[in-house]
Amino acid sequence: MSNIQQLNDLVTQVRRDILRMVHKVNSGHPGGSLGCAEFFVALFNEIMDIKEGFDMDGKEEDLFFLSNGHISPVYYSVLARRGYFPVDELNTFRLIDSRLQGHPTTHEGLPGVRIASGSLGQGMSVALGAAQAKKLNGDSHLIYSLHGDGELQEGQNWEAIMYAAAKKVDNLISTIDLNGKQIDGSTDEVLPMGSIKQKFEAFGWDVAEIAKGNDMDAILEGMATAKSKTGKGKPVCVLLHTEMGNGVDFMMHTHAWHGKAPNDDQLASALSQNPETLGDY
Amino acid sequence: MKKYTDSGKKDTRSGFGAGLTELGKTNENVVALCADLIGSLKMDDFKKNHPERFFQVGIAEANMMGIAAGLTIGGKIPFTGTFANFSTGRVYDQIRQSIAYSDKNVKICASHAGVTLGEDGATHQILEDIGLMKMLPGMVVINPCDYNQTKAATLAIAEHHGPVYLRFGRPKVANFTSEDQTFEIGKAVMLSEGTDVTIVATGHLVWEALQAAEQLEKQGISAEVINIHTIKPLDEAAILASVKKTGCIVTAEEHNYYGGLGESVARTLVQNNPVPQEFVATQDTFGESGTPDQLMAKYGLNAEAIVKASQKVIKRK
């Protein structure tokens, strides 16, 4: 897949998947999922070099780790539509006996997932370990990770950020979803974090910024820039400016949809703004 | 009873270090991580021999557990090293989510467990770690008794796929098990057969149990002594077979009686063959500064305490 229109069509379908998944079980996290739909579609269909099929060790391919596991709907939708598991299985999200747990896990053997996440702040450490394993194995592929901006309030991140630069883990691209929102309000209201960019730079990272984090061209260009920064002795951070709830007018510009599902009318309105492109599951 | 000889006091942490050194030579997938305690954990040789496979993470245990989980993705077998307190309570959620729930092949190696850490005091003397770790689904919990057994256990856990908590200690203690033993995870070791009381002990308390059995023999009491080096999975068959013969049991451990070996044994007995049990363990308390011997005596964790518990439990039959 390479054509921008095709990627954007997939984004629209992924939005529908997210909305329908959380609506069906009246739970889950649509806001951050919608905000990262373009990023996930780009990552799994254009940016990463991934092998067909799935094996846990993931040798000789790029790997992705989701640290902010609550945006599982977008992760599951993109994994399914990339062929990791049947798209129909999205129907089982958050239901009993499902491989699609509320937060991602390896426990049920869902292809595509290599670590459990949900309790925040742990993913960067795991990504670092995987990156160092790649170096030990002489594998030149890259590790990608995604983190929420509010998630950076967890102290373990800063242990990892310090370690990554100290150990020159330069085969890692950690993206921060800068949507400026968390459960209790804006990040500035909850706990102002100052300049994330300056913090990463002060810790010795190379930082790339994607100002339009919901624009496919901007993401592809920004991630290509990030990739060009790897292998130069520094870990790479991408600051991805996104809009929580992107693509659904009433879910944007608010933190209200962080962890709330739409009702029937709201779903109908949201879906009408995102017409079916590749077929609903 | 069968007699055991101390071949010369050694610390169990050095047994871990020796095992890790050997694994470095024999298993290229073994990697080691340490949070600024290389000397205390006896990881110096591994670091010297295999600098590329050794990761000094600094004083950042949460990060260490996550990195260890990540290293398994790519086929490595990470051994993390720090004090027991910082290997468990400090990083419980990291272990729970990134290692146990994610079924990662990480070996959490924990030194300075229990009161025998000594003078540093209660901030560092964890007496709750066995309970914390045995509650995690899928986690294997091992507390070997001496230098030789700790080395053998270190070698054995590299061959086991899945998360393991390996607990050992700081002080030099009797080294009495055989140098060339094969360590079988989950398999109790019968040290001395007896008929009046079963004493099952783990870690540093195993040697104390043997000393207690000798004293009991002089009083005409025949004690059966079993080394439970693996608290989870527990060798229930060995315990049940023994109490069928003796009709009572003493459990001995350097740990709080809540959550430790004793509770696991009690559960096994209640479900199968309820017999009187006495607990040699700390009584829901923190430790304090002192020498290991002073602390073992003050907190009732020595041979004398095991003798008293045995006399008491026999009367309850």
Side-chain angles (χ1 to χ4, degrees):
Chain A
M1 197 179 290
S2 57
N3 167 320
I4 296 289
Q5 185 58 47
Q6 285 176 314
L7 291 170
N8 280 329
D9 284 349
L10 179 51
V11 168
T12 305
Q13 191 61 48
V14 165
R15 284 186 198 141
R16 291 181 67 87
D17 290 349
I18 294 166
L19 292 160
R20 295 176 65 237
M21 287 162 76
V22 299
H23 170 263
K24 181 179 176 186
V25 291
N26 194 28
S27 72
H29 298 77
S33 293
L34 290 166
C36 289
E38 292 85 358
F39 176 75
F40 270 86
V41 165
L43 199 64
F44 277 89
N45 296 281
E46 198 63 36
I47 297 163
M48 286 203 299
D49 176 20
I50 47 183
K51 290 197 281 198
E52 292 305 312
F54 175 74
D55 88 293
M56 183 55 79
D57 280 347
K59 290 181 179 169
E60 299 299 331
E61 63 177 324
D62 292 343
L63 305 181
F64 171 74
F65 294 94
L66 177 66
S67 190
N68 48 331
H70 56 275
I71 64 168
S72 57
V74 66
Y75 193 19
Y76 294 153
S77 167
V78 169
L79 285 177
R81 294 198 178 268
R82 184 65 176 78
Y84 281 95
F85 57 87
V87 175
D88 276 352
E89 203 169 336
L90 296 177
N91 250 320
T92 70
F93 175 62
R94 287 186 170 231
L95 295 179
I96 193 82
D97 296 329
S98 174
R99 298 197 291 181
L100 278 60
Q101 292 289 297
H103 293 79
T105 173
T106 61
H107 203 64
E108 318 299 330
L110 187 69
V113 179
R114 291 189 167 83
I115 196 79
S117 60
S119 175
L120 294 173
Q122 301 186 25
M124 195 180 293
S125 303
V126 175
L128 283 170
Q132 294 196 293
K134 285 233 177 279
K135 289 196 176 222
L136 281 176
N137 288 335
D139 179 348
S140 61
H141 284 77
L142 297 175
I143 303 293
Y144 292 85
S145 63
L146 181 66
H147 315 262
D149 48 1
E151 186 183 8
L152 294 178
Q153 292 158 6
E154 290 280 8
Q156 185 182 345
N157 286 304
W158 301 97
E159 295 181 2
I161 292 164
M162 186 183 292
Y163 178 94
K167 304 289 176 172
K168 299 182 169 52
V169 184
D170 59 3
N171 55 344
L172 170 69
I173 300 177
S174 290
T175 298
I176 310 300
D177 175 17
L178 278 181
N179 59 25
K181 297 179 184 66
Q182 54 192 112
I183 297 179
D184 280 350
S186 71
T187 50
D188 278 344
E189 285 165 355
V190 176
L191 185 71
M193 290 182 285
S195 169
I196 303 289
K197 182 167 192 274
Q198 286 175 12
K199 284 184 168 63
F200 270 92
E201 285 174 346
F203 275 71
W205 287 54
D206 204 343
V207 180
E209 203 143 5
I210 301 177
K212 293 181 178 175
N214 295 109
D215 179 280
M216 189 57 72
D217 284 311
I219 292 169
L220 295 177
E221 190 187 332
M223 292 307 287
T225 301
K227 206 167 170 177
S228 73
K229 291 174 181 291
T230 59
K232 294 178 178 166
K234 286 184 173 187
V236 178
C237 169
V238 174
L239 299 179
L240 183 74
H241 294 259
T242 68
E243 181 59 50
M244 191 184 264
N246 187 59
V248 177
D249 55 9
F250 61 89
M251 290 187 174
M252 296 164 69
H253 312 296
T254 171
H255 68 274
W257 296 91
H258 169 91
K260 189 175 82 171
N263 63 27
D264 292 350
D265 291 343
Q266 289 162 335
L267 177 70
S269 167
L271 291 180
S272 73
Q273 298 170 40
N274 293 280
E276 199 171 339
T277 54
L278 305 176
D280 286 340
Y281 60 82
Chain B
M1 66 170 283
K2 192 171 171 190
K3 295 285 187 283
Y4 289 85
T5 312
D6 173 11
S7 65
K9 287 186 187 305
K10 280 184 167 183
D11 45 358
T12 50
R13 57 182 165 146
S14 287
F16 163 69
L20 191 63
T21 298
E22 190 166 322
L23 283 172
K25 294 172 192 153
T26 58
N27 190 334
E28 63 177 17
N29 285 324
V30 168
V31 298
L33 303 88
C34 189
D36 196 30
L37 286 170
I38 294 169
S40 296
L41 268 288
K42 307 295 179 186
M43 298 169 99
D44 320 67
D45 281 349
F46 187 95
K47 183 190 177 210
K48 189 179 71 190
N49 298 340
H50 313 283
E52 75 292 351
R53 284 196 268 151
F54 184 83
F55 302 91
Q56 167 65 274
V57 299
I59 310 166
E61 294 82 7
N63 191 36
M64 176 166 74
M65 292 303 165
I67 292 171
L71 279 161
T72 67
I73 301 164
K76 303 304 165 196
I77 307 172
F79 282 60
T80 66
T82 183
F83 289 171
N85 191 23
F86 314 138
S87 294
T88 57
R90 188 176 180 93
V91 290
Y92 198 60
D93 190 43
Q94 284 77 16
I95 294 172
R96 182 176 180 274
Q97 174 172 285
S98 294
I99 296 175
Y101 185 44
S102 293
D103 191 28
K104 296 301 181 218
N105 192 23
V106 175
K107 315 305 170 187
I108 300 162
C109 302
S111 185
H112 294 54
V115 291
T116 53
L117 171 145
E119 293 80 354
D120 277 351
T123 53
H124 289 51
Q125 294 163 339
I126 194 163
L127 295 163
E128 307 90 38
D129 55 325
I130 291 174
L132 287 169
M133 300 309 275
K134 81 176 186 183
M135 281 196 295
L136 291 170
M139 182 68 68
V140 168
V141 178
I142 297 172
N143 190 187
C145 65
D146 68 0
Y147 172 96
N148 285 340
Q149 189 162 74
T150 306
K151 182 180 177 187
T154 303
L155 300 177
I157 62 176
E159 301 297 319
H160 169 86
H161 186 89
V164 174
Y165 179 60
L166 181 66
R167 177 194 213 236
F168 41 90
R170 173 176 183 247
K172 288 190 165 67
V173 294
N175 187 28
F176 59 96
T177 65
S178 80
E179 202 175 343
D180 58 353
Q181 67 188 286
T182 302
F183 188 93
E184 202 175 330
I185 294 170
K187 183 79 179 160
V189 180
M190 174 66 74
L191 290 176
S192 186
E193 296 194 25
T195 53
D196 297 330
V197 59
T198 299
I199 304 171
V200 296
T202 193
H204 291 146
L205 270 292
V206 176
W207 177 251
E208 298 297 324
L210 288 169
Q211 305 312 301
E214 282 191 26
Q215 293 176 35
L216 289 166
E217 189 176 41
K218 288 173 192 157
Q219 299 169 19
I221 295 170
S222 165
E224 178 146 301
V225 182
I226 300 174
N227 173 9
I228 301 282
H229 53 58
T230 307
I231 292 142
K232 182 184 170 188
L234 187 66
D235 190 345
E236 299 189 353
I239 292 165
L240 291 170
S242 180
V243 298
K244 193 173 177 188
K245 189 168 54 172
T246 63
C248 65
I249 191 165
V250 171
T251 53
E253 61 195 308
E254 190 182 347
H255 190 273
N256 195 353
Y257 65 178
Y258 287 121
L261 167 67
E263 273 198 357
S264 289
V265 170
R267 181 188 49 76
T268 302
L269 297 177
V270 166
Q271 287 183 313
N272 295 280
N273 180 15
V275 298
Q277 176 183 356
E278 289 294 327
F279 295 71
V280 171
T282 55
Q283 310 291 304
D284 199 26
T285 180
F286 292 103
E288 65 181 81
S289 294
T291 67
D293 285 346
Q294 288 170 337
L295 291 160
M296 294 287 268
K298 177 165 179 177
Y299 289 90
L301 301 174
N302 56 14
E304 189 188 342
I306 296 170
V307 167
K308 282 184 187 160
S310 299
Q311 291 164 338
K312 185 176 175 190
V313 82
I314 287 168
K315 285 185 192 147
R316 291 177 54 208
K317 274 205 268 188

